[in-house]
Amino acid sequence: MNARTEPAEAEPVTPARPPIVRELLLVAGLFLVYKFGRQLATGHTAEAYRNAHDVWHAERWLHLPGEGTVQSLLLHGDTLTRAANTYYATVHFPATLAFLVWLYLRRPAHYVWARRVLAAVTAAALALHLAFPLAPPRMLAATGLVDTARVYGPSVYGPPRTDHLSNQFAAMPSLHFGWALMVAIGLIVATRSRWRGLWLLHPLLTLLVIVGTANHYWLDAIVAGALLGVALTVIHAPRRTATTAGRGAALPAPAKAGDQVLVGAAR
């Protein structure tokens, strides 16, 4: 009987949730910094329009599909167009907030990871907004696109000259798409449902909406996806375990000091 003994390894415990007050202050602070940073990019109208022409011609050189193809599908009916405008105006922040709240309550380890990724992508986007102001396609006459929010409503933007709440020359990258893609990836990584791949419909629908309403170019979404890819490469997701993936099975009690496990007794 060739038996030997080895110490039993304790199973990982459920990660502790970060303090709620600290997280609320952190998220609020990041949001205020982002909003303030967007204001720093105002006043670059001429440069934003020059960059818009460059982006439009670059897309044609790359043979990307025209944004007008998507918009023509929306313009078949007023109801569909208003629905797309409503989606653009109301889903972006609430969906991301609901995603973070759910992770905080149900997957604390994944919450910390997702919050770090979103913060990194948002910071990179702010830097790019400052360095490369860009007028959206709805403002560029050369595109021939309709500003669907202004024509059909609802609209979240006022006239650029009097809109002091947002920077309308911050089209690239599209955080609408970047955040939506992170929400889908985060839910796919943090859950085990066989249908979790359907979460990718959220960024897909968001992409069609931001392009069809003429708020973003295809390249805005491509750049956002690239920034997210870099962030995900640097900031790794927590290892999938019974606790991080939300499996309901009870874990064995941690071994006490001195406990031994018999190994190889059947040899």
Side-chain angles (χ1 to χ4, degrees), residues 34 37 41 47 51 120-134 167 169-174 219-220 222-224 226-227:
Y34 174 67
E47 184 180 0
N51 291 336
V121 170
T122 304
L126 174 58
L128 191 52
H129 293 163
L130 294 172
F132 190 76
L134 180 65
N167 173 23
F169 300 113
M172 180 181 291
S174 168
L219 281 176
D220 297 342
I222 292 173
V223 172
L227 291 178

Side-chain angles (χ1 to χ4, degrees), residues 33 58 67 133 142 181 225 253:
V33 168
E67 287 82 353
L181 185 58

Side-chain angles (χ1 to χ4, degrees), residues 10-263:
E11 291 284 349
V13 297
T14 302
R17 295 186 183 91
I20 183 64
V21 175
R22 187 192 72 182
E23 291 304 306
L24 290 174
L25 292 175
L26 178 60
V27 172
L30 288 173
F31 177 75
L32 291 175
V33 168
Y34 174 67
K35 294 296 289 185
F36 176 72
R38 286 173 68 102
Q39 297 306 311
L40 295 179
T42 59
H44 301 281
T45 303
E47 184 180 0
Y49 278 101
R50 286 195 302 270
N51 291 336
H53 283 283
D54 291 340
V55 168
W56 182 254
H57 292 306
E59 288 191 341
R60 308 291 75 79
W61 181 78
L62 292 170
H63 300 289
L64 294 178
E67 287 82 353
T69 303
V70 179
Q71 185 171 90
S72 64
L73 299 176
L74 292 182
L75 296 180
H76 278 302
D78 293 358
T79 301
L80 184 59
T81 306
R82 290 193 186 96
N85 292 334
T86 302
Y87 188 95
Y88 179 86
T90 62
V91 173
H92 177 49
F93 280 107
T96 308
L97 180 60
F99 164 69
L100 289 174
V101 170
W102 185 85
L103 286 183
Y104 180 85
L105 296 175
R106 301 295 298 274
R107 307 288 191 273
H110 286 91
Y111 164 78
V112 174
W113 162 69
R115 186 248 289 153
R116 289 173 178 169
V117 171
L118 286 171
V121 170
T122 304
L126 174 58
L128 191 52
H129 293 163
L130 294 172
F132 190 76
L134 180 65
R138 59 186 168 82
M139 293 184 182
L140 194 63
T143 66
L145 297 173
V146 176
D147 185 346
T148 60
R150 182 180 60 83
V151 175
Y152 297 93
S155 176
V156 294
Y157 302 120
R161 293 182 179 179
T162 59
D163 185 0
H164 302 295
L165 297 177
S166 59
N167 173 23
Q168 297 189 44
F169 300 113
M172 180 181 291
S174 168
L175 284 179
H176 269 75
F177 179 74
W179 286 13
L181 185 58
M182 181 56 201
V183 168
I185 292 174
L187 289 172
I188 290 172
V189 171
T191 60
R192 286 184 176 271
S193 169
R194 64 190 301 180
W195 304 104
R196 64 187 185 276
L198 293 176
W199 285 113
L200 290 172
L201 292 175
H202 174 47
L204 176 59
L205 181 57
T206 299
L207 176 60
L208 295 177
V209 165
I210 64 175
V211 171
T213 58
N215 281 292
H216 287 283
Y217 307 89
W218 293 113
L219 281 176
D220 297 342
I222 292 173
V223 172
L227 291 178
L228 178 59
V230 172
L232 291 172
T233 300
V234 175
I235 306 171
H236 300 288
R239 185 171 60 88
R240 184 185 293 274
T241 65
T243 53
T244 60
R247 294 173 62 186
L251 295 175
K256 298 179 181 179
D259 285 354
Q260 303 293 317
V261 177
L262 194 62
V263 178

